[in-house]
Amino acid sequence: MRRIETGRGHVAGVCTLALLAGASVLVGAGDPWRGDLDARMVLAVSRIPRTCAALLAGAGLALAGVVIQQTVRNRLVEPGLSGTPEAAMIGLMAVTLIAPGAALLTKMSAAAALALAGTGGFFLLARRVPRRDPMLLPLVGLIYAGILGSIAMWIAWTTDLVQLVGIWQTGEFSGVLSGRYELLWLVAGLAGLLYLIADRITILGLGEDHARALGLDYRKTVLAGLAIVAMNVAVVVATVGAMPFVGLVVPNLASRWWGDNLRRNLPRIAMLGGGLVLAADLTGRLLRWPYEIPAASVFAVAGAALFLWLINAPGSRDHG
């Protein structure tokens, strides 16, 4: 009976995702189904890439969230509370200043390197934070991210790049076009890699002593997990901008609905993250038609409410 219910849940999830994707492709100016050549070009160049970008960005941030939560053993932490997006922005600014004409892949690589350094700094801080109160680590992360964000804004202010920082801070998909979003497909490859090491990431949640006792190479596994987080966040920030709360809300919802089997939950987490971000993008396109509200703004409102619920709901506690 359990397997039947799980199978029905998978089918319902896939059908819901397909409906959202279909709605995303259909919503927009022009009708590509009546022979309008320009509208068909919009469909191929803008709407389909936009839909894929929202799905991939949501999946990447959701998977990054579950990895960082397992690594620091706290369900109330996400990449946005670990300084990862802010560090990625500093990397993007560095490339913009040093080599303004650099390819997007070069910019993303620099963003990933700085994001890894920023996430590593948060991990070192997390090792020193007492575990008694699960809210303490998110507060430390908020301060840490604020410091990195201030550094990024100071660099932007002194170099006249404030507008770019504003773009990177607000995730939205209106500028996604064919040829300008394909780096997001790296998320799919990283998801496959994460699936291969899912059992090791799960063991990280037991703590360093237990992980070493089980024969896990703790340092290499932590580095691999943080690298996946940094790459996912960097490619999203470089392509569409930062999206708050995705990495916090989605893993917690998945844990409450389906339990804590990470390997089994990873496809569900990716689908749920992609679906919620796509739904936020669709909502932003429809609320003030024909104008748009950035998907990050829509998700921030819903995510803040869910975050408050997670704080007060039973089970929102440290893994340790």
Side-chain angles (χ1 to χ4, degrees):
M1 183 64 70
R2 177 75 176 179
R3 290 184 178 179
I4 293 175
E5 291 178 355
T6 301
R8 288 176 178 173
H10 286 166
V11 172
V14 171
C15 290
T16 302
L17 203 61
L19 287 173
L20 284 171
S24 177
V25 170
L26 290 172
V27 170
D31 187 356
W33 317 112
R34 294 184 178 179
D36 187 336
L37 183 60
D38 291 337
R40 289 185 179 181
M41 185 176 295
V42 169
L43 179 69
V45 174
S46 176
R47 292 192 201 173
I48 292 177
R50 179 173 186 158
T51 301
C52 292
L55 290 171
L56 291 168
L61 292 176
L63 293 174
V66 75
V67 172
I68 196 70
Q69 288 176 9
Q70 288 290 127
T71 304
V72 302
R73 301 167 59 214
N74 191 307
R75 294 187 187 275
L76 298 179
V77 173
E78 64 139 353
L81 294 176
S82 63
T84 310
E86 289 78 10
M89 292 176 200
I90 293 174
L92 288 172
M93 278 192 291
V95 175
T96 302
L97 292 171
I98 297 171
L104 182 59
L105 181 61
T106 302
K107 294 180 180 179
M108 193 278 294
S109 300
L114 266 293
L116 179 59
T119 311
F122 174 74
F123 176 73
L124 294 177
L125 280 175
R127 291 170 63 90
R128 298 179 178 273
V129 175
R131 301 284 178 174
R132 295 186 300 271
D133 184 359
M135 282 301 302
L136 185 58
L137 184 57
L139 290 174
V140 170
L142 188 64
I143 296 170
Y144 177 70
I147 293 172
L148 292 182
S150 298
I151 293 173
M153 186 56 69
W154 177 79
I155 296 173
W157 184 262
T158 56
T159 57
D160 199 24
L161 293 177
V162 176
Q163 186 175 5
L164 280 180
V165 173
I167 294 172
W168 295 329
Q169 286 178 334
T170 305
E172 57 95 21
F173 300 94
S174 63
V176 171
L177 297 172
S178 179
R180 294 181 55 185
Y181 85 102
E182 281 75 9
L183 276 178
L184 280 171
W185 285 103
L186 285 173
V187 169
L190 293 169
L193 176 61
L194 179 57
Y195 189 81
L196 293 176
I197 65 171
D199 294 336
R200 298 182 184 183
I201 299 296
T202 299
I203 295 174
L204 286 181
L206 300 176
E208 182 174 357
D209 293 338
H210 287 85
R212 293 187 185 278
L214 291 171
L216 183 72
D217 190 328
Y218 183 79
R219 181 174 297 179
K220 288 184 178 179
T221 306
V222 167
L223 183 60
L226 296 183
I228 290 173
V229 171
M231 287 289 291
N232 272 332
V233 174
V235 71
V236 172
V237 171
T239 308
V240 298
M243 296 281 297
F245 292 111
V246 180
L248 171 66
V249 169
V250 175
N252 277 282
L253 291 177
S255 177
R256 290 175 184 278
W257 291 343
W258 302 305
D260 293 321
N261 187 323
L262 183 60
R263 182 181 294 276
R264 185 180 63 193
N265 282 350
L266 282 176
R268 298 167 174 171
I269 290 171
M271 288 176 59
L272 182 59
L276 289 177
V277 170
L278 183 57
D281 182 46
L282 254 175
T283 302
R285 291 152 71 178
L286 294 173
L287 280 178
R288 294 193 62 197
W289 173 272
Y291 305 103
E292 291 191 19
I293 300 173
S297 301
V298 176
F299 204 100
V301 174
L306 285 170
F307 180 56
L308 293 175
W309 172 72
L310 288 170
I311 291 174
N312 295 288
S316 297
R317 60 181 182 276
D318 194 302
H319 280 259

